[in-house]
Amino acid sequence: MDSIFTFLLLELDKNYSTLFMFLPYRSIRTKLLVRFSFIFMLLFALVVGTLFFSFRHLSIASSKNSALILAKTIRDGITSLMYLGVIGQRDIYLERIKETQEDGNIKKIKVLRGEKVIKQFGQPRVFEVPDQEIEFQVLKTGKMAERLDEFHTNPVYELVIPYKASSKGRVNCLQCHQAEEGDVLGAISIQFDLSQQRSTGINIIILVSLLAILAILAIFWMIDSFVKPYGRLFAQLHHGFDELEKGHLHAYVNELLDDEAGEVGVKFNHMLKTLSGLFNEISNKIYYLVGFELQKSGHAIQDTSYNIDLLINAYQFKRELEKDADNHDIYLRIQSIVLGMGLGNFAIYEFDRRKNSFRLITDPHSFAKRVDDFHNNLQLSEPQVIDNPHCHLLVGKNPRQCPVIRDGKGYNSDVEGHFCRLLRLQSLEPVGHVCVPLVGENLVVIGQILFNQESSAETQRLLPLVKRYFYESINRLEVNNSLSFIRDQSLSDELTGLYNRRYLEECSTFFLEHNIKKTLPMGFLMVDVDFFKKVNDELGHDAGDMVLKKISKVIKETVRETDLVIRFGGEEILILANNIQPGTAQHLAEKVRTNIEAIEFRYARQNFHKTASIGCAEYPRDSQHFWICIKNADTALYQAKETGRNRVVDFADRQRIK
C-alpha cells in the first residue's frame, strides 16, 4: 500500500504542470491550495478505501473463524447426541447453539447428510436437505466453500464446512458409520448476518472521514494563513514591476516578511529608491543644463530617455550651427526642428535694427529668402509671395510697434488673455498664439506659433524647448548678421546705397553660372545723367550728391526687387534686369528715363530738373557673353548722348538710328 501511495504522489508531482495548465487561476496561493486539495482528496480516498476494505476483511475473517469454531462444536455435540441415543433432538440443540451467540448474527445453521449417511440412516429431515449450489458443491467435493452476498440491504456471509470420516482423533467415525477414511459424511452450513458489522464500519468510516475533513480544513487554514502574506508580497511585487515598466517608481512593497521573501521585498524597495534618486538627479542636472523642465509624463524612464535625446539634439544643433553658411540656413534648421516637434503652424520673422526692416523669413507653407548678402539678393525669378502674412507689420507699419520688439519679451496669449492686436487671423482659427523672441544687439528674431484647442497644452509644454533652440542660435545669427553688414558695406556705394563696381565684378560669376548657362533673358541698362558736371560746377558737389541720391532712389523704385542697380562709375548707373521677356529692356529703360525726367530737384532755393541718357542691350540677343553685353549697353549709351541726350537707344537699333 505504501509503495502504491508513493507512486501516485510521484506521478502527481511529475504531471503537475499538465494537471494545472488549464486552471484559470495563476496565483501561487491558488495553485498551492489546488495542489494540496488534490493530494488530500487522494489521501482521503485512500484512507476511506483502506478502512472499508479492512472492515470488510475483518468482518469476513471474524465470521469465518466463528463458523469454524461453531462447526467443530456442533460436530462434537452431534457426536455426543449419537452416543447418548438422543440424536433426534438435534434440532433443539442447534437452536440452543444459535441462542447462545451473544452478537446474534447467526442467521441459519443447517446440518446436511452425505450420501453414505443417507444410505446407512435413511433420508434427512426437510430442513437438512441441501438447497444451495454451494451446499451441493461441498458435499460433492468435500472442500470448504464460502459465499458473500453484500449487495443487498442485509449482507449475508455463508460458510459450508464438510464433515469427513476419520479414524483418528478422539472419535473414530468409522466405528459408527459405514464409510471409508476420508468419505464425506455430511456438512454444516452456517449463514451470518453482517448488517451490524456493516453499520459499525460505516459509522466508523463516517467518523474517521469527519475527523479527516476537519484535519484537512485545519491544514488548509494553516497553509492559507502561511501563504497569504507571500501572496500579498508577490502581488505587490507584480504590481511594482508593472508600474516600473510604465516608468512609475512609487509602487513600494508594504508586505515585508522576516525570511528570504521579505529580503526580496526590501531589495525591491531599495531598488526603487535608488532608481528614483538616480532619475531625479538626472532631471536636476538636465534642468541645470537647460534651465527648464522638459517632458514630465510620469514615466521616469521614458521621460529621462526623451529628455536626454533632446539634449543630444540640442548639442548637435549647436555644433551644426557652425557649419551653416548664413542665417538663412539657420532659420531653415530651426524651422525643421520645430515642425518636427509637431508644431505645424510656425513662422519666423526678422527685425534688423540697422536697417529698421521687418520681414517674414519662413512660414509653414512657403519660404522667402531675403538675407542681405550678394548671393541671396541675386534671385533669378520673382520672389515668393506670402499670401497670408500673420502679422500686420508686414504691410508697411512701423516694426517698433511690435510689443516683442519694443519690450524684448515674449508674447503668450494664454498669459496675456488676448491676441496681439497686430495678429492677422484671416482664414486661420487658432485659440492662441505665442511669439518667442530672440533678442541680439542688432537683430531680433521672432518665432511665432499658432495653436488650436487640441494642441494648446502640447504647445505650452514644448515652448521652453523651442526657446532653448532659439537661445542656442542667437550668437551665430548675430555674427552672420554682422559679417553680412560688413560685406554689404564693402560692396555698396556709400552715397547712393547702390551696389558698387566691386560687387558687379564678384557677382559676374553668379550670372555666368545661372543666367548664361540657363539661357535666361537679361536686360543690361546703362544710365548716365545728362550734363551732371554742370550741376557740380554751378551748384557744388553737395548738389551733385543730392541729385545722384534721388535718381538712385527713383531707379530702385522703378525696377523690380529682383533687378540689380549698380553705381558703375561717376554718374553712370547699371541696371541688370533678370529674367525679362525678350525685347522689353527698351521699355524698362524708357520708364526709367521718364521717371528721372519727372523728378523735381530743389537746392539752394532753386528748382530744376535733370534728364538721363540710357543705352540698353539684351542677352542672348546681342551677345552670349556677360561683359560684352555691358559693353554693348555702354556703346548704345554713347550713341544716345551723340544723338541728342535724354533718350533711350537699344543696341540692336543703333545702326538704324545712325
Side-chain angles (χ1 to χ4, degrees):
M1 182 65 67
D2 291 340
S3 61
I4 295 175
F5 177 68
T6 304
F7 172 76
L8 290 175
L9 287 180
L10 290 175
E11 286 297 312
L12 178 63
D13 187 71
K14 181 174 67 176
N15 298 305
Y16 172 73
S17 59
T18 304
L19 289 171
F20 300 107
M21 66 182 296
F22 299 107
L23 289 176
Y25 306 105
R26 299 179 59 189
S27 67
I28 294 177
R29 173 173 172 267
T30 303
K31 287 184 176 181
L32 190 62
L33 291 177
V34 171
R35 181 169 182 170
F36 273 105
S37 297
F38 272 96
I39 294 174
F40 284 133
M41 287 173 61
L42 179 62
L43 289 174
F44 179 77
L46 289 174
V47 169
V48 172
T50 301
L51 285 175
F52 173 77
F53 285 107
S54 297
F55 272 103
R56 179 179 180 276
H57 175 74
L58 288 174
S59 298
I60 294 174
S62 175
S63 299
K64 186 175 183 178
N65 185 54
S66 298
L68 291 174
I69 294 173
L70 185 60
K72 184 177 181 181
T73 301
I74 292 174
R75 183 195 63 185
D76 293 342
I78 291 177
T79 302
S80 299
L81 291 176
M82 290 178 63
Y83 275 111
L84 295 174
V86 288
I87 189 64
Q89 298 182 6
R90 59 183 179 275
D91 297 340
I92 299 173
Y93 173 70
L94 293 177
E95 286 297 325
R96 292 293 178 87
I97 290 293
K98 289 173 61 177
E99 292 174 0
T100 57
Q101 299 298 315
E102 295 180 358
D103 51 8
N105 60 347
I106 297 178
K107 187 176 182 180
K108 181 183 71 173
I109 299 177
K110 181 166 64 173
V111 177
L112 305 173
R113 286 188 176 187
E115 293 292 333
K116 297 288 185 179
V117 176
I118 292 174
K119 288 181 179 181
Q120 183 178 356
F121 296 103
Q123 292 295 326
R125 297 177 183 178
V126 175
F127 55 84
E128 293 178 344
V129 177
D131 56 3
Q132 300 290 335
E133 179 65 26
I134 188 174
E135 295 173 348
F136 288 108
Q137 180 182 351
V138 172
L139 291 175
K140 183 178 180 180
T141 61
K143 295 180 180 180
M144 184 176 60
E146 58 186 344
R147 179 178 65 86
L148 178 63
D149 186 4
E150 56 185 337
F151 297 105
H152 291 82
T153 304
N154 297 319
V156 174
Y157 174 74
E158 182 177 2
L159 182 65
V160 181
I161 305 170
Y163 288 151
K164 295 182 180 180
S166 174
S167 58
K168 300 176 182 179
R170 291 180 301 170
V171 179
N172 187 356
C173 297
L174 299 181
Q175 292 178 355
C176 299
H177 295 283
Q178 298 176 0
E180 297 179 357
E181 187 76 21
D183 287 343
V184 177
L185 301 177
I188 182 169
S189 175
I190 305 174
Q191 287 185 355
F192 292 91
D193 186 355
L194 301 183
S195 299
Q196 184 177 355
Q197 286 87 339
R198 172 189 276 183
S199 177
T200 302
I202 290 175
N203 291 334
I204 292 176
I205 289 174
I206 292 174
L207 179 61
V208 172
S209 299
L210 291 175
L211 293 175
I213 291 173
L214 291 176
I216 290 173
L217 292 176
I219 293 173
F220 274 154
W221 177 80
M222 289 188 292
I223 293 174
D224 186 60
S225 300
F226 176 77
V227 171
K228 267 185 178 179
Y230 293 93
R232 290 192 295 267
L233 173 64
F234 293 144
Q236 292 176 10
L237 284 173
H238 188 277
H239 174 70
F241 281 114
D242 285 344
E243 292 297 308
L244 183 60
E245 187 177 356
K246 299 175 183 176
H248 302 154
L249 303 176
H250 58 271
Y252 292 99
V253 174
N254 299 320
E255 190 72 33
L256 298 178
L257 307 177
D258 56 353
D259 54 15
E260 294 85 350
E263 292 180 4
V264 173
V266 172
K267 290 184 179 296
F268 180 80
N269 289 344
H270 179 70
M271 178 190 69
L272 290 184
K273 291 180 180 179
T274 303
L275 289 176
S276 179
L278 177 62
F279 286 121
N280 285 334
E281 183 179 0
I282 293 174
S283 298
N284 293 334
K285 289 181 178 179
I286 292 175
Y287 181 81
Y288 176 78
L289 288 175
V290 301
F292 59 87
E293 289 184 341
L294 301 176
Q295 177 167 297
K296 276 214 163 190
S297 65
H299 195 308
I301 298 175
Q302 288 186 359
D303 288 349
T304 301
S305 176
Y306 176 81
N307 294 335
I308 290 176
D309 287 341
L310 291 180
L311 282 178
I312 293 174
N313 293 337
Y315 174 74
Q316 291 176 344
F317 170 78
K318 191 173 182 179
R319 293 188 63 182
E320 292 296 326
L321 289 179
E322 304 299 327
K323 302 177 183 179
D324 291 333
D326 51 42
N327 287 357
H328 162 64
D329 294 335
I330 296 177
Y331 293 140
L332 281 180
R333 189 179 300 279
I334 294 175
Q335 183 194 38
S336 175
I337 291 174
V338 175
L339 293 179
M341 296 179 188
L343 304 178
N345 215 325
F346 175 74
I348 298 177
Y349 300 86
E350 181 188 80
F351 173 64
D352 194 329
R353 299 182 194 273
R354 292 191 183 99
K355 302 176 182 179
N356 197 35
S357 64
F358 184 80
R359 56 208 175 114
L360 176 64
I361 300 297
T362 177
D363 73 357
H365 310 293
S366 59
F367 175 71
K369 188 177 181 183
R370 297 290 297 163
V371 180
D372 292 333
D373 61 59
F374 72 94
H375 290 294
N376 293 326
N377 273 287
L378 294 178
Q379 298 188 51
L380 305 178
S381 59
E382 290 291 336
Q384 292 172 302
V385 178
I386 306 303
D387 295 327
N388 282 327
H390 301 156
C391 186
H392 268 303
L393 296 179
L394 292 174
V395 289
K397 295 183 180 290
N398 183 6
R400 298 185 187 275
Q401 293 179 354
C402 174
V404 177
I405 296 175
R406 183 183 65 244
D407 303 330
K409 299 179 181 179
Y411 192 96
N412 191 330
S413 62
D414 283 0
V415 177
E416 301 293 336
H418 55 81
F419 289 100
C420 175
R421 60 185 178 84
L422 298 173
L423 185 68
R424 295 175 59 176
L425 299 182
Q426 295 188 8
S427 60
L428 299 174
E429 297 181 359
V431 298
H433 74 99
V434 175
C435 287
V436 180
L438 183 59
V439 181
E441 184 177 354
N442 299 301
L443 199 65
V444 178
V445 180
I446 301 174
Q448 185 184 74
I449 305 172
L450 302 180
F451 53 86
N452 54 27
Q453 186 68 44
E454 291 75 17
S455 60
S456 175
E458 182 69 5
T459 299
Q460 299 296 337
R461 185 183 69 82
L462 293 173
L463 191 57
L465 185 60
V466 175
K467 292 180 179 179
R468 185 66 185 181
Y469 280 107
F470 265 61
Y471 296 153
E472 292 291 347
S473 58
I474 182 58
N475 292 332
R476 186 63 183 176
L477 288 171
E478 278 287 331
V479 170
N480 288 347
N481 182 261
S482 298
L483 292 175
S484 176
F485 177 76
I486 294 172
R487 174 177 287 273
D488 288 346
Q489 291 296 100
S490 66
L491 299 177
S492 62
D493 179 65
E494 185 177 356
L495 175 64
T496 61
L498 303 178
Y499 287 108
N500 56 26
R501 181 74 173 265
R502 179 183 173 187
Y503 178 77
L504 179 63
E505 292 174 354
E506 290 193 8
C507 74
S508 61
T509 304
F510 178 82
F511 280 104
L512 291 172
E513 291 180 354
H514 290 76
N515 284 39
I516 306 300
K517 288 186 177 181
K518 296 181 180 180
T519 65
L520 297 175
M522 287 185 61
F524 294 78
L525 285 63
M526 189 68 75
V527 182
D528 184 80
V529 181
D530 295 333
F531 304 110
F532 180 74
K533 186 175 183 300
K534 185 177 179 181
V535 177
N536 287 333
D537 293 341
E538 294 180 358
L539 299 177
H541 287 283
D542 289 342
D545 291 345
M546 182 268 294
V547 170
L548 282 177
K549 289 170 68 175
K550 280 194 173 183
I551 289 176
S552 298
K553 181 180 179 183
V554 168
I555 292 175
K556 290 183 68 174
E557 292 174 351
T558 302
V559 300
R560 302 167 303 176
E561 288 188 2
T562 54
D563 297 335
L564 284 180
V565 183
I566 301 169
R567 186 175 181 186
F568 196 71
E571 67 274 14
E572 288 186 344
I573 297 174
L574 174 64
I575 301 173
L576 299 178
N578 297 306
N579 197 17
I580 65 171
Q581 294 295 324
T584 59
Q586 186 174 2
H587 298 294
L588 177 60
E590 185 62 33
K591 183 179 180 182
V592 172
R593 187 198 65 78
T594 303
N595 289 344
I596 292 175
E597 187 178 14
I599 301 173
E600 182 177 358
F601 298 96
R602 180 176 178 80
Y603 186 81
R605 298 182 182 180
Q606 295 185 33
N607 295 334
F608 59 94
H609 293 268
K610 296 300 294 181
T611 61
S613 300
I614 304 175
C616 60
E618 290 187 11
Y619 166 84
R621 184 195 66 184
D622 299 322
S623 177
Q624 296 285 334
H625 301 283
F626 179 76
W627 289 105
I628 293 178
C629 286
I630 295 177
K631 184 178 180 181
N632 291 341
D634 190 55
T635 300
L637 171 63
Y638 178 78
Q639 189 169 353
K641 286 180 174 291
E642 289 293 323
T643 57
R645 300 179 187 275
N646 191 23
R647 64 178 57 200
V648 175
V649 174
D650 192 332
F651 181 76
D653 298 336
R654 70 190 186 287
Q655 296 297 333
R656 181 180 58 80
I657 294 174
K658 279 185 178 181

